[in-house]
Amino acid sequence: MRKVIPGTGRRWSCILLAGPGAVLVTVVVMAGMALWLPGGRAGIDNLVLPLVAAPLIWATLFFHACLDRSVGRIALVALFLLVSHGGLLAHKFLDRTAAAKVAGK
């Protein structure tokens, strides 16, 4: 019979949320930020700021996953960011009227 060490499931959940989970959420948030940030004078601030802020976003998610005691709260914050920015990206890329404007039709 296999012994189960208490807290092992929580530990692996935190590892997954702090490692690949934080990287995945950071990439999606970085891509979604370009849609809601203003363009600025040169029109590229919405592209540069997410690239500069990506390490900060990743570090925040990583340390939150490492330091928070509630795995549910960690997952809820990561899921909220993933769904909200993923929804922005999906709306942008599935918008047929914007695609028709670009195609000139």
Side-chain angles (χ1 to χ4, degrees):
M1 182 158 191
R2 193 172 141 195
K3 284 187 176 181
V4 177
I5 302 170
T8 306
R10 182 195 180 287
R11 182 182 309 153
W12 278 106
S13 298
C14 287
I15 288 171
L16 289 175
L17 285 168
V23 172
L24 176 70
V25 173
T26 299
V27 170
V28 172
V29 168
M30 187 177 68
M33 280 177 72
L35 298 176
W36 57 263
L37 281 173
R41 282 188 170 175
I44 60 168
D45 290 345
N46 61 335
L47 302 175
V48 173
L49 190 61
L51 289 173
V52 173
L56 180 64
I57 297 166
W58 174 83
T60 304
L61 290 168
F62 176 79
F63 286 117
H64 180 243
C66 290
L67 299 174
D68 198 350
R69 291 180 186 246
S70 172
V71 178
R73 188 172 32 230
I74 298 167
L76 188 66
V77 168
L79 187 66
F80 171 74
L81 289 170
L82 186 70
V83 168
S84 62
H85 285 84
L88 282 171
L89 289 169
H91 177 67
K92 175 69 176 178
F93 288 113
L94 294 177
D95 189 14
R96 295 177 191 256
T97 57
K101 279 185 189 178
V102 171
K105 295 181 179 180

